[in-house]
Amino acid sequence: MMRQRQRRRFITCTVVAAAFGLIGTQSFAASGGSGPRPWNARHQADIGRQHTAAVHAGKGMSALTASGSGDDGSDEAENSAEGTAQYTEARTAPGVVAPGAYGAAWAQLQSMPHTGGNWDHITQKVYDSDDPRYRDINSNSSGGFGDVTGRITGIAADDQGYVYAGGANGGVFRSRTGGGHWEPIADKLPSLSTGALALDGSQRLWYATGESNTGATSFVGTGVYVLADPRHGQFQPGGRVGGAELESTVIHALRFAGTKVWAATSRGVWSHSTTTLSGPWKLEFAPNPEYLPGGSKAGDESAPYKNIANDIAVDPKDPSKVLLAVGWRGGDTYNGLYSQQGDGSWKPTTGLGDLPTDSDDVGNMTFGAAADGSRLYAVDQSPAQTNTNPDSGLKGVYVSKSGSPFGPWTQIADYTKLKASGSALQGAGYMPGIQSWYNQFLQVDPANADHVYLGLEEVFETKNGGTNWITPGPYWNFPFPCWSIDPSKQTGDCSPTTHSDQHAVAVGTYKGKTYAYVGNDGGIYRRPLNGAVDSGGHAKDWQSLNDGTLDTLQYYSVGVGKDLDHGGVSVTGGLQDNGQSILRGHDKVMGSNFGGDGGDTITDPANGCDIANEYVYLDMWVTQNCGANSGSWVNDPAKATEYEVAPPDKDLGGAGARFTAPITSDAKDTNTWVAGGRHVWVQTKGFAIRSGAEWKNAYDLGDGHVATAVASSGGTVYVGWCGPCNNQGFSRGIAVGNADGTGWHQLGLPVDGTIPNRYISGFDVDPANAQHVYVAVNGFSRKWTEGPGAGVGHIFESKDGGATWADISANLPDVPADSAKLLPNGGLALSTDLAVFYRPAGARQWQILGKNLPTTATLQLRLGPDGALYAATHGRGIWSFDPRRLKGRDD
């Protein structure tokens, strides 16, 4: 039996949490993928109790978040739902955000001046999740994923070796070599969130913005863009198709039929001419139009769930015959399959054979058509099954052997059949399709209509139309006989696999060889379309295409410390579904020293190998050797190099802490740490801590309250909290006190006060005066937010310990703010969901800090011991800026 903390699952669950009304902002909140560790006996009881019912209730999300699961992160679906809701809450509470908020901020950004200096891209390097330097019990090294990057949600490929990959919040990248040597081609657009990528018959590249995966950090988009010459050009704002009709939506799929393109979006099904790109999109069908913007029920809290369309299937013999797959994956009465009647109206369609048509069983559905029109396949997630079956939400996989969307349809697989195909999920307490509301793709071999790739958590394949299946892309190699964490016991014949959680697929040709390309939470991979497999049906020929030039890594945090062994600095950070990365000194390859989801991070500036990593709900671990190999897998306590040091709130789940909870060390004493959950926890042993029992409860924030931000300087502690944290009854506050537990009090922050009634996302304290503090506020102002006390402003300053505050937002765009950092020159940096801004010392107006930082969310700023400012972006990796470049520019 492995020791206390096991390898953590990469699965990321999903739920739409609220705000389809934000352009480019998180409308689907996110989770980070917690879950059981299936091979350890200690967690078998937790695994058996997995239940996904609460995840999909839509309106029940708030209750789920408030109640908490009371576990340690092993109840995958419920924990992920909480993470999802919480990420969105920060940007939507206290109410509903009107469409256009992000677009207006982006437009203002275009006219703002930049400071001098450029940002340096730190993580544009290979990130090896199997790095043998960190094959410790708490990493996922040796799982077989190889080189990884952030979530890829769209892929297109042609027959000349050009491949296009879209990052979840990183934009579009192009490869001219069949994958690898990537270059960004969408960085001039206002949204870098990828919903779908597709090449049309003229080889134009269509980019639908707005990620549809309803994951923790999914952002809505600004519409659909076309690039006429994708092999050489770059997307431009002027290349948008139609007008603003598809702003503030997510787009699940683009389907072409004749001279028309269809779009399945979060606000119904739309169409547009493919020959004339100007003129508005036409709304073909919305099941509940009164919930659309401008409708009589547009302000209803359930509006985001009422017009979700997932895919479109067009009859290849008659483009006028179209089948729409519509419905919220959590279940609603409008869920179903719709077809157009003679009078132009759309009605539910039934009697298609095995393909479900009942509202209880039509959830997230994806179609896949054969190139010759002879076959049409579908994969369907059932809301009813998801809400009642702890094993899987997958209803089934189906084929229409006529190629017509109207069938007749025959079922060719369910989760039990796929389980027997060589799945790595056997015996895990859950089955293939446990996250089929999040993980889906279908791809038919262009040369063989019976050859199909299916993406769920794993990659499945059939070559005989579904009679038999194999699993060429298993979840990982850990359960298989060829694997052992102990290098001396490995057989050496475990083949590389893909990262888990599949989202995108395409077929392309390079130098005469045809490949299947798959995109998932770990990036993009390829294998020959008719590749080799071992005796278990697992592919022997996957190749990671994540060569470091494709940096779509989604960081929550960054930590920087001196590298005492190699010189320079060690940079580490917590990631969505890709653990904790570490880049030491002169490393040319990043490694992964912690697995699962990374959260917040504490790193000793004086020693970059002293690292505290957070998993979920304050489940903290500490290492003092960078997490390097020690042979700890042999269960010798003397060789342990990583220790679980979670404060007690960790055991309360969502009731005790946020999914990604705030942790920090004191700015003047690296041995004093503060962690925020329901309580404010303090420990004074620094990296020498070895047990969660060593934390002391400094302050109780109150029943239903949980920390959202913490800062400490010289023993003075500031804690931002929310509770309730969702739109219904949202409340926030700031508590101030001393690390020794004395002097604690709540600041008077009335709903109509200076500090808006929105999410407190970050503090920074003046090192010369702990009474001088800045606070960053998330969300949008009352111009866009229909909620009590939404107020205005995003950055506030107090010179008296929080007794009074001044709004110093001045000319900042109205966009969610995430992190503030006072620079050594006296200037102030502020990171937002749009850019990093800078206000020189003594000035009032803000500028954009530096040049060439991609337009994506920057969630955290940290100063390194080298004097550089480090930015953790959630879609384009970690970047740094030297504030010394600002000398002489403070006027």
Side-chain angles (χ1 to χ4, degrees):
M1 177 172 142
M2 295 185 178
R3 68 182 175 87
Q4 191 77 1
R5 175 171 172 247
Q6 293 74 31
R7 295 170 181 270
R8 297 166 296 187
R9 285 191 65 206
F10 276 82
I11 270 186
T12 301
C13 185
T14 57
V15 177
V16 173
F20 283 96
L22 312 183
I23 298 179
T25 305
Q26 291 79 348
S27 68
F28 289 136
S31 105
S34 62
R37 295 69 122 181
W39 44 82
N40 184 273
R42 187 174 76 88
H43 289 285
Q44 292 310 304
D46 288 330
I47 294 166
R49 288 196 297 268
Q50 275 192 74
H51 200 292
T52 56
V55 179
H56 308 279
K59 288 184 287 185
M61 183 85 62
S62 303
L64 176 87
T65 304
S67 66
S69 61
D71 66 10
D72 64 352
S74 63
D75 231 356
E76 164 202 335
E78 292 188 6
N79 293 335
S80 295
E82 292 186 36
T84 296
Q86 290 171 10
Y87 201 91
T88 292
E89 289 161 1
R91 287 152 178 83
T92 61
V96 177
V97 179
Y102 188 92
W106 187 82
Q108 182 180 343
L109 185 74
Q110 306 314 300
S111 62
M112 292 186 68
H114 290 254
T115 71
N118 290 326
W119 288 86
D120 296 317
H121 194 172
I122 301 300
T123 55
Q124 195 175 34
K125 290 180 171 61
V126 171
Y127 178 22
D128 183 4
S129 70
D130 283 333
D131 192 327
R133 294 176 296 172
Y134 306 103
R135 188 162 295 174
D136 199 273
I137 198 110
N138 294 313
S139 76
N140 284 96
S141 184
S142 80
F145 305 147
D147 300 338
V148 298
T149 189
R151 190 164 68 243
I152 295 297
T153 53
I155 304 175
D158 65 16
D159 60 0
Q160 297 296 314
Y162 286 83
V163 183
Y164 309 94
N169 195 34
V172 183
F173 290 76
R174 172 177 57 214
S175 170
R176 306 170 190 265
T177 58
H181 306 288
W182 303 90
E183 55 182 329
I185 60 171
D187 282 5
K188 295 181 180 180
L189 297 183
S191 173
L192 300 184
S193 174
T194 301
L197 281 172
L199 289 164
D200 66 13
S202 301
Q203 295 299 291
R204 294 178 298 179
L205 183 61
W206 293 66
Y207 179 36
T209 62
E211 184 190 358
S212 64
N213 287 312
T214 59
T217 46
S218 298
F219 287 64
V220 292
T222 54
V224 177
Y225 299 83
V226 171
L227 183 56
D229 182 12
R231 295 179 181 177
H232 304 96
Q234 295 196 11
F235 284 102
Q236 303 290 336
R240 187 168 74 172
V241 180
E245 300 81 26
L246 300 187
E247 283 192 355
S248 305
T249 67
V250 302
I251 300 178
H252 297 247
L254 295 176
R255 301 295 183 186
F256 299 95
T259 59
K260 180 185 286 189
V261 60
W262 295 77
T265 82
S266 53
R267 293 210 301 259
V269 178
W270 300 70
S271 71
H272 202 282
S273 167
T274 59
T275 56
T276 303
L277 302 183
S278 60
W281 285 81
K282 176 186 177 183
L283 177 60
E284 295 279 0
F285 176 63
N288 297 292
E290 66 273 21
Y291 289 93
L292 294 176
S296 61
K297 297 182 179 180
D300 191 285
E301 65 186 55
S302 65
Y305 307 93
K306 289 297 186 180
N307 287 287
I308 296 173
N310 295 301
D311 209 345
I312 303 121
V314 181
D315 192 324
K317 301 180 181 64
D318 184 353
S320 68
K321 295 181 178 179
V322 179
L323 188 68
L324 309 181
V326 175
W328 162 229
R329 56 201 63 186
D332 203 312
T333 55
Y334 76 89
N335 283 32
L337 301 176
Y338 291 78
S339 59
Q340 197 165 32
Q341 310 301 298
D343 62 359
S345 64
W346 295 84
K347 301 293 184 183
T349 299
T350 59
L352 301 182
D354 291 344
L355 188 67
T357 58
D358 186 84
S359 62
D360 288 338
D361 279 328
V362 177
N364 186 24
M365 183 178 287
T366 300
F367 295 113
D372 62 4
S374 64
R375 297 283 189 277
L376 181 64
Y377 295 87
V379 55
D380 176 51
Q381 167 258 337
S382 161
Q385 182 167 309
T386 297
N387 291 336
T388 58
N389 186 343
D391 289 336
S392 177
L394 178 68
K395 185 66 176 179
V397 185
Y398 307 85
V399 64
S400 169
K401 293 185 177 180
S402 68
S404 168
F406 298 96
W409 289 85
T410 303
Q411 184 170 351
I412 56 176
D414 60 11
Y415 70 88
T416 57
K417 186 172 185 177
L418 294 174
K419 172 194 172 186
S421 68
S423 167
L425 300 182
Q426 295 186 63
Y430 46 91
M431 306 290 183
I434 184 68
Q435 293 191 158
S436 51
W437 62 89
Y438 173 63
N439 305 316
Q440 281 193 19
F441 70 57
L442 275 173
Q443 176 67 52
V444 185
D445 183 340
N448 179 0
D450 287 328
H451 183 198
V452 182
Y453 278 82
L454 164 68
L456 294 168
E457 296 75 39
E458 302 170 288
V459 180
F460 300 92
E461 181 182 14
T462 179
K463 292 190 175 182
N464 53 16
T467 302
N468 303 103
W469 293 85
I470 61 173
T471 311
Y475 199 85
W476 48 26
N477 284 324
F478 295 145
F480 301 130
C482 60
W483 178 86
S484 170
I485 191 172
D486 187 342
S488 67
K489 297 180 181 178
Q490 291 181 8
T491 63
D493 56 356
C494 272
S495 299
T497 185
T498 69
H499 196 287
S500 57
D501 297 342
Q502 311 305 320
H503 303 296
V505 64
V507 172
T509 302
Y510 177 58
K511 291 186 175 180
K513 294 183 179 180
T514 302
Y515 296 93
Y517 295 87
V518 302
N520 48 53
D521 275 11
I524 180 171
Y525 297 75
R526 78 176 186 188
R527 71 180 292 246
L529 186 59
N530 289 283
V533 296
D534 61 22
S535 59
H538 307 133
K540 300 166 66 175
D541 44 20
W542 283 111
Q543 178 185 0
S544 170
L545 303 178
N546 309 306
D547 62 359
T549 60
L550 179 67
D551 185 2
T552 56
L553 290 167
Q554 296 171 275
Y555 282 93
Y556 293 112
S557 63
V558 58
V560 189
K562 292 181 179 179
D563 187 341
L564 302 182
D565 296 324
H566 308 93
V569 294
S570 174
V571 181
T572 187
L575 288 151
Q576 188 276 329
D577 226 11
N578 282 292
Q580 183 98 353
S581 73
I582 182 166
L583 180 67
R584 300 177 64 185
H586 301 291
D587 279 357
K588 296 182 179 178
V589 175
M590 292 192 294
S592 178
N593 55 358
F594 291 93
D597 280 81
D600 211 346
T601 301
I602 299 174
T603 303
D604 186 350
N607 183 353
C609 273
D610 286 350
I611 303 168
N613 156 269
E614 181 195 14
Y615 178 29
V616 296
Y617 305 122
L618 286 181
D619 188 2
M620 291 175 61
W621 291 76
V622 67
T623 178
Q624 291 192 273
N625 78 333
C626 284
N629 280 345
S630 66
S632 59
W633 49 77
V634 298
N635 290 324
D636 180 354
K639 293 184 177 180
T641 59
E642 295 172 356
Y643 307 88
E644 186 175 25
V645 296
D649 277 353
K650 167 254 190 183
D651 295 323
L652 301 177
R658 302 285 284 175
F659 186 83
T660 300
I663 60 176
T664 191
S665 61
D666 189 277
K668 296 184 176 180
D669 179 8
T670 56
N671 288 325
T672 297
W673 294 3
V674 180
R678 150 82 187 257
H679 303 86
V680 180
W681 297 98
V682 176
Q683 69 92 6
T684 57
K685 293 187 176 181
F687 294 93
I689 186 174
R690 292 295 180 265
S691 167
E694 296 174 79
W695 292 90
K696 294 182 179 179
N697 178 10
Y699 185 65
D700 186 345
L701 293 172
D703 185 26
H705 297 170
V706 285
T708 61
V710 297
S712 179
S713 181
T716 298
V717 182
Y718 293 86
V719 180
W721 56 264
C722 64
C725 297
N726 51 70
N727 303 31
Q728 295 75 45
F730 176 84
S731 179
R732 56 79 186 98
I734 299 175
V736 182
N738 299 316
D740 63 7
T742 63
W744 280 92
H745 61 283
Q746 295 281 356
L747 299 182
L749 298 178
V751 169
D752 58 352
T754 303
I755 303 284
N757 188 41
R758 304 201 310 267
Y759 187 92
I760 305 297
S761 55
F763 296 97
D764 199 33
V765 183
D766 185 341
N769 178 9
Q771 299 299 298
H772 184 198
V773 60
Y774 300 91
V775 62
V777 180
N778 212 280
F780 289 90
S781 75
R782 64 180 173 225
K783 177 180 180 180
W784 304 102
T785 303
E786 302 169 6
V792 295
H794 293 277
I795 178 72
F796 297 82
E797 180 181 21
S798 175
K799 296 181 180 180
D800 52 15
T804 60
W805 295 90
D807 181 358
I808 59 171
S809 304
N811 63 321
L812 281 173
D814 187 356
V815 67
D818 298 298
S819 178
K821 183 56 61 179
L822 191 62
L823 303 182
N825 66 1
L828 183 64
L830 179 71
S831 73
T832 73
D833 281 3
L834 195 66
V836 177
F837 298 95
Y838 173 69
R839 191 191 72 166
R844 294 187 64 255
Q845 299 295 298
W846 294 84
Q847 309 165 50
I848 301 170
L849 182 59
K851 299 178 178 66
N852 76 318
L853 184 69
T855 305
T856 190
T858 298
L859 299 190
Q860 192 175 86
L861 297 174
R862 283 273 172 86
L863 281 168
D866 55 352
L869 179 69
Y870 288 81
T873 78
H874 202 75
R876 289 292 285 272
I878 294 173
W879 298 67
S880 72
F881 183 89
D882 187 348
R884 289 168 291 193
R885 299 172 183 172
L886 299 172
K887 285 185 177 180
R889 301 179 184 272
D890 290 355
D891 54 354

